[in-house]
């Protein structure tokens, strides 16, 4: 077997790891595939954080969009080998699967794109079109941010992948004297989508163009075309096609359902490179994207650029100290915080709006240089964003935060409603409520939106009304009932269950959970109203934000599902999963009042009671490591789901910081550190986020916990507040801008010393366990004295 | 069971048949369902020809678009009950099927639209969505041009249908105290199309809008959306939907694959009317079409208008004499000549172009009044059009001829090539060659094109080149090999078979047949070049039109398939079906040199030999009534297909007129009359065209044979020539314009007197068996003396 041209790869890899002790091991293809067995207790300072990323983390539990290799931050293209294809959840790069079933270029929320598969044999096309998967081994695999290399055993083909934002770049090394073939899979199931009608047409001997169509799904109901433009390094010798069970020799294109194309080459060096530009607007735009981003054929440079871009992004947080595993896990978390929610607009600022009766090509506003002022993004839900990306991104990726925020607002202008989860130019209506509100309000408070508060306010207000998304359940595209808004509006709660006479369309109809979310989201809206100077609106929504109280049952001490007739739903089991609460139970949901901990303490009988109950919950949850199993697929399992805290899903990930808000910051320090060390400490393909990472949410959470920064309210205050946790590293510096840094230093830190005994901000003693956004943004140093015991006297709130 | 409101129907029907002897019988619903048993030998003069149409003709053999009831001439909408749904061929209104499976509004070449199905019971939607077909009886059925009434036995629902051009108008009479329900079938197979993604959304209590998508087919490869706008006479009570196996109560729309909607009403008079406007451009245009064409709710007036429009169109030919059956069959033929090739542009002149990578909405040129100068048409192939619609339409429907011709040219501007068979804004590439060329040249010679010859010539020329459709076989969308043009160009014939190394994409790769068609089409192009004054082009294509000679085998006396190596293909069996000839055999194909009968006679050894051979062929063919079975499905049957003449398909329908061109017009008179009386004389659902009527082609042929007018060359001469046959009726007057008529009178006519013994044109003896286009268009009277014996001295050619 001839070795693919690894020269370039070696050079790049060599440069990357030059400052690391693990240089020798990592430079070998096999190294990245295994977690380190023994390691020094302390790692050196991080020079190239991208080298520390462990892309295999949790990949035994991958869902379609989870993994990443040949991709840029927020890049439209995320190109990698798919080892499983069926469905949204169990697909993509699944570590324990043994065969590669194609290399899809688009792995996004509800979207797949073109899958390429190099093959090489003399079987007829009728055999190749159905039986093409190749065994591979992780031993022959190199993966780093922006690059992937593996070997297809069946065909003896070496594959290398890299990408720019909108262009996938593949290089195949075939065996001498063997056919050089490439399959374009245009149909079948690709992760979340069944691909429907597709077309490919030949432009010339070096170029093909076309599109695949993602059929509608329950979530993303309208079909989405993904256009591509392919450029080959060597002339096409012949195109053969199939459609269903028919094969066609010597064609110049193909179209239809369940179609595909085989491209044959005859390159003298047995190497074929393919550049694949993508667009959601047109094949012309796909070509434009390709030409703009990747005009040449320098694979090594493209791969190095990709790596450098990741390195730059990750270097926005510079850590010192901790073990090598902790460092690797930290940068893997940070890297995951930048996965998903990808760009869908083209270099010229065109994007597709599918919300109306016909597809509409729209144009983003341009700046003085003729560049789009921001890019449009796809996005899974913002459910839990208030405790994850809403905090992390504004600190270290403010431009990404702005782009995602403005993107949502732009969709709002197009659609008439700011969407819950835009995918393919339409709202997937993923999850309940309006979690976009706290996300956007937090950005507004942090000065990260171009849109003024006065313009944003009425747009958000609409979503908090009968005409908006509060009236719709999850994925409720064809009615406006499951959101239970009319009840929420008139009676102050969403009943559970809703009457059977109403529409049954949509999911996540869990009235008690919806009520809690709406109340919090109303609180967020009130903050924006205040900012916009509209006191009447502020007062109205502040009042509505107290609706959580309508479901507090004094007798049981829980938030309880209430029926339409006003009676509590019986029987009541606080640990019963999904009985009125979304992917959660009453024991977890009682804590979902992040905007009114004082009020919660009051109804519970005081802060001491609250703290004691929460402490009990944590002690109980600790028995199963604070999660419901170690993967999202296990969350509903009867053995795991009866937990009062679950750090494997969003509904209760704020709980550790409620202690601090109730006057017990030492417990926040203790439990948040326990969670860092337990839930987000692994570094294997088998275990990572113990649930659903969810497009950067849990990655962000892990980063925040390890930095010791959190925003219980989601950063809604005029000068948003950060609670302090228990930082993991000796030092973590946030690069706020080119000139400004904010560093969190810990002294005497250690796994057994989670407590903060002293806080200094820029050398001055600080007598509170929180910071203001403005304090961080001014830059400076936070110095924390760590201790094995809680401080005698806790700083006051 | 309550009788539907038949009052209106009775009134209209009564008015219609007032001048007919069969008044009483026809006014009863049952009458139209059966052919007349006994009848007077001679029918009275025709006052209302639409009343004579027998819509059930040949419907036991219907294909999807064949039948028609609630439709206007060339109307976008053709609404009728579908008794079979599967596939292009065995679907639509099939007489012998016992259940109605929906009422689709679009029955066109490669296209289906929205199917409505009224139902009425208390079963759950999950049962209704799959089991909804209703038995019906022809006894309770009234069908006339523009109107259909039937009774759905299963539900006790009376259904009436009528239409404007772009709007279907349905009226349902439900049983009292029974549910008033209407299913919208958005998925599944509807004739030629599997319906894919669909959407419907509610506008208000009286309106819905949406679209269905025709998935791509082998022929029409790109999906086509058909938009609709529905208006209900009574408010919608509730919408329930399904998608695959899921049902959703109380929705405001639905989308997806395999979806559908149930609309429930509660009308106090148990009657629900539905107007369904259609468009291929947008739901907005569907609404505009509806509002423009059918603003009100007067069903009776709409139905009467539809009838009047058909009556006007059919009255363009006014016949006297013949039996009632002959008259009914004649107007049924004429009515069929106006079926299919329907309008696809909207009232505002917008239409859809799907030929590019993305759908494009285009605008037709408007006249001074702001109206589109012509409408865009769908169309099945023009294969055989030269002997059918190319002759008939210019005489009596010149505006339709102009519209179809200009429509083709407009597509040519859009697509870059004048299409063979446009459907849904794309070329289906149906059948081989460029049969559009003779069709368009004939229109140009008759002064019926707005586009000047000089502009048309290069467009057609392109199609006669390697860059055009002569390079493509039937449906050859993804290569340009099966047309064999390179061989035709270099060697003067298309080989059969083509080399296996070339593309195998596409159908009808029958080199000898292709060669014959190309030669004739080249002749047509030469005529246009002469008209345009381009003598060089004329000479070139005139030379190429002699290419048929390259396949004449002196030894066998047949046009024979020749292989790539220049040798005849062996063994050779002149009666072998499809062995080098398209839906034909060598015995039939020898006659396909309509532009050079003299040349054919010459190679055969003289005109006498030719006439004798042709006479033998007819005598042989007469044994199985000049067809290959009595339906298209039988054509390839081993028992029928070995015929030397087949008047059930296009390839040899000119043969009877070759006698005249070879100096034996009496044989033309004899055999063409035999064919009129044998092939096109039936009036039952079981037998009609003995093959494939093909969107007006065979209907036109039958009309022409019965008028005694034919154009062997397809009307390509500068002043196009009409050969005379043997007219069936005492008089047939063509309404050429408001003021001008041309009448063909026969004296002493009868089934046993097929021969013409004397010809007078406007009272002057005519010593030739043909007329010129100018002579007809001047108006006047052709008077033919008929005889039982051939004239002693035949008029010279």
């Amino acid at each position: 077997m001839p070795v693919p041209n690894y020269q370039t790869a070696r050079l790049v890899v060599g440069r990357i790891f030059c400052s690391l002790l693990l240089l020798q091991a990592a430079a070998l293809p096999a190294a990245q595939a295994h977690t380190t067995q023994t390691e020094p207790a302390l790692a050196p300072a991080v020079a190239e954080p991208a080298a520390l990323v462990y892309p295999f983390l949790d990949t035994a539990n991958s869902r379609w969009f989870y993994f990443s290799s040949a991709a840029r931050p927020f890049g439209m293209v995320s190109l990698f080998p798919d080892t499983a294809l069926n469905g949204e959840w169990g697909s993509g790069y699944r570590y324990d699967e043994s065969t590669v079933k194609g290399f899809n270029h688009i792995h996004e929320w509800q979207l797949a794109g073109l899958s390429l598969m190099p093959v090489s044999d003399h079987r007829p096309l009728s055999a190749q079109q159905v039986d093409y998967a190749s065994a591979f081994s992780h031993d022959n695999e190199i993966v780093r941010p922006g690059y992937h290399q593996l070997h297809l055993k069946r065909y003896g083909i070496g594959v290398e992948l890299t990408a720019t934002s909108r262009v996938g770049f593949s290089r195949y090394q075939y065996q001498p004297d063997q056919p050089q073939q490439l399959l374009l899979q245009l149909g079948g199931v690709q992760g979340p989508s069944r691909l429907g009608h597709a077309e490919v047409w030949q432009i010339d001997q070096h170029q093909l163009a076309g599109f695949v169509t993602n059929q509608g799904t329950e979530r993303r109901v309208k079909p989405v075309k993904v256009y591509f433009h392919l450029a080959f390094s060597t002339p096409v010798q012949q195109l053969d096609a199939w459609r269903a069970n028919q094969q066609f020799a010597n064609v110049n294109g193909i179209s239809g359902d369940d179609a595909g194309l085989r491209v044959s080459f005859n390159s003298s060096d047995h190497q074929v490179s393919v550049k694949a530009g993508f667009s959601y607007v047109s094949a012309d735009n796909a070509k434009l994207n390709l030409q703009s981003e990747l005009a040449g054929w320098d694979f090594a440079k493209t791969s190095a650029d990709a790596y450098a871009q990741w390195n730059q992004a990750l270097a926005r947080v510079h850590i010192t100290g901790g073990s090598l595993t902790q460092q690797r896990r930290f940068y893997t978390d940070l890297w995951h915080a930048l996965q998903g929610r990808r760009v869908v607009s083209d270099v010229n600022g065109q994007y597709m709006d599918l919300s109306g009766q016909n597809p509409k090509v729209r144009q983003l506003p341009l700046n003085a240089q003729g560049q789009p002022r921001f890019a449009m993004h796809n996005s899974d839900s913002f459910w839990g964003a208030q405790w994850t990306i809403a905090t992390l991104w504004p600190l270290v990726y403010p431009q990404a935060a702005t782009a995602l925020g403005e993107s949502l607002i732009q969709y709002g202008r197009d659609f008439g409603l700011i969407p819950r989860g835009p995918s393919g130019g339409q709202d997937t209506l993923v999850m309940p409520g309006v979690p976009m509100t706290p996300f956007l309000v937090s950005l507004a408070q942090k000065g990260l939106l171009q849109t003024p508060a006065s313009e944003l306010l009425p747009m958000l207000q609409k979503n908090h009304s009968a005409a908006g998304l509060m009236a719709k359940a999850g994925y409720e595209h064809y009615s406006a009932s499951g959101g239970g808004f009319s009840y929420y509006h008139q009676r102050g709660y969403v009943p559970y269950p809703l009457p059977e006479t109403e529409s049954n369309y949509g999911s996540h109809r869990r009235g008690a959970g919806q009520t809690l979310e709406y109340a919090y989201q109303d609180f967020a809206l009130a903050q924006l109203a205040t900012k916009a100077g509209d006191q009447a609106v502020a007062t109205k929504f502040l009042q509505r934000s107290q609706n959580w109280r309508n479901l507090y049952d004094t007798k049981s001490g829980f938030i309880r599902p209430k029926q339409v007739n006003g009676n509590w739903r019986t029987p009541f089991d606080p640990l019963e999963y999904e009985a009125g609460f979304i992917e959660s139970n009453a024991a977890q949901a009682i804590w979902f009042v992040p905007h009114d901990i004082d009020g919660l303490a009051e109804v519970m009988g005081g802060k001491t009671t609250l703290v004691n109950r929460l402490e009990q919950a944590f002690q109980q949850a600790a028995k199963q490591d604070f999660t419901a199993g170690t993967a999202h697929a296990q969350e509903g399992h009867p053995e795991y789901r009866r937990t009062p805290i679950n750090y494997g899903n969003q509904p209760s990930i704020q709980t550790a910081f409620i202690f601090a808000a109730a006057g017990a910051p030492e417990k926040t320090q203790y439990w948040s550190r326990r969670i860092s060390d337990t839930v987000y400490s692994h570094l294997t393909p088998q275990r990572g986020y113990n649930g659903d990472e969810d497009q950067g949410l849990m990655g962000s959470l892990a980063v925040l916990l390890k930095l010791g920064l959190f925003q219980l309210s989601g950063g809604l205050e005029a000068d948003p507040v950060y609670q302090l946790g228990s930082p993991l590293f000796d030092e973590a510096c946030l690069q706020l801008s080119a000139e400004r840094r904010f560093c969190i230093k810990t002294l005497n830190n250690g796994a057994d010393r989670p407590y903060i005994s002293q806080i200094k901000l820029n050398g001055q003693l600080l007598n509170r366990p929180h910071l203001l956004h403005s304090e961080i943004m001014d830059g400076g140093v936070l110095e924390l004295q760590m201790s094995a015991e809680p401080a005698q006297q806790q700083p006051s709130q």
Side-chain angles (χ1 to χ4, degrees), chain A residues 448-502:
Chain A
L448 288 175
L449 291 184
Q450 299 164 1
T451 306
S454 57
E455 185 184 341
L456 181 57
L457 180 63
M459 296 179 79
L460 291 182
Q461 241 182 294
K462 185 176 178 191
N463 260 342
H464 289 238
S465 77
L469 296 190
M470 271 194 183
K472 284 176 178 276
Y475 323 117
E476 189 181 6
H477 294 278
Y478 296 109
S479 51
S481 147
F485 180 80
S486 61
Y487 299 99
Y488 180 76
H489 182 59
Q490 288 160 24
R491 309 189 195 179
Y493 71 97
V494 179
Y496 179 79
L498 285 170
E500 282 190 12
T501 52
E502 299 191 7

Side-chain angles (χ1 to χ4, degrees), chain A residues 45-47 314-320 331 731-735 741:
Chain A
V46 176
L314 297 172
R316 304 288 293 224
V317 185
H318 185 274
I319 56 170
T320 312
Y331 280 112
E731 186 181 77
C733 290
L734 313 180
Q735 195 75 42
R741 306 207 312 168

Side-chain angles (χ1 to χ4, degrees), chain A residues 479-719:
Chain A
S479 51
S481 147
F485 180 80
S486 61
Y487 299 99
Y488 180 76
H489 182 59
Q490 288 160 24
R491 309 189 195 179
Y493 71 97
V494 179
Y496 179 79
L498 285 170
E500 282 190 12
T501 52
E502 299 191 7
S503 171
N504 66 342
Y505 197 104
S507 303
H508 305 307
R509 299 158 170 265
R510 303 282 184 263
Q514 286 165 302
T515 304
L516 293 175
E517 295 187 30
Y518 294 1
Y520 165 64
Q521 290 154 0
D522 280 344
F523 177 82
L525 185 61
Q527 309 314 303
L528 186 74
T530 301
K531 183 181 179 72
D534 192 333
Q535 206 45 58
V537 171
T539 303
K540 171 185 168 182
F541 285 97
L542 217 49
Q543 281 169 355
R544 240 170 56 174
S545 80
Q546 292 296 305
N547 273 348
W548 66 270
R549 292 175 185 264
N550 299 328
L551 293 188
Y552 186 79
D553 171 25
T554 321
K555 205 167 157 198
S556 69
F558 283 100
I559 302 283
R560 276 185 69 173
K562 196 179 269 185
Q563 302 173 81
V564 174
N565 61 12
N567 297 335
W568 299 119
R569 179 176 180 266
T570 53
F572 175 60
D573 173 356
L575 290 172
E576 194 188 350
Y577 182 71
E578 287 250 307
F581 302 94
I582 303 132
E583 298 184 1
S584 176
N585 58 31
Q588 293 171 33
I590 180 67
W591 308 113
F592 200 108
V593 194
H595 58 295
D596 193 9
I597 297 299
D598 287 352
L600 184 64
E602 177 202 321
V603 299
M604 278 185 170
K607 286 189 174 173
T608 306
T609 311
L610 180 151
V611 168
N612 287 342
R613 278 186 63 177
L614 190 56
E615 172 75 18
Q616 282 173 357
F618 267 90
Q619 283 172 357
Q620 176 68 23
K623 293 177 189 167
Q624 57 182 53
D625 284 356
F626 309 102
T627 60
T630 59
H632 195 47
Q634 299 171 347
E635 188 178 292
H637 191 283
E639 194 178 328
Y640 306 122
R641 69 190 181 198
R642 295 178 63 81
T643 178
I645 304 281
N646 175 14
Y647 266 85
N649 204 338
Q650 287 91 323
S652 56
I653 56 175
Q654 85 291 14
T655 42
F657 285 83
I658 291 176
F659 291 113
E666 77 284 3
K667 288 187 184 292
T668 289
Q669 291 151 25
Y670 175 79
W671 288 112
S672 73
R673 182 67 166 259
R674 280 281 302 269
I675 289 158
S676 286
D677 289 346
T678 313
V679 187
Y680 307 118
S681 60
H682 298 263
L683 202 67
T684 74
Q686 278 67 40
R687 196 164 171 196
Y689 293 98
N690 301 283
D692 183 8
E693 199 282 329
D694 249 358
Q695 285 211 314
L697 294 189
M698 298 310 233
S700 294
L701 174 69
V703 167
L704 291 169
L705 290 176
K706 292 167 188 179
L707 293 176
L709 289 178
F710 196 81
Q711 297 193 303
L712 185 58
S713 79
L716 302 176
E717 300 83 5
D719 191 350

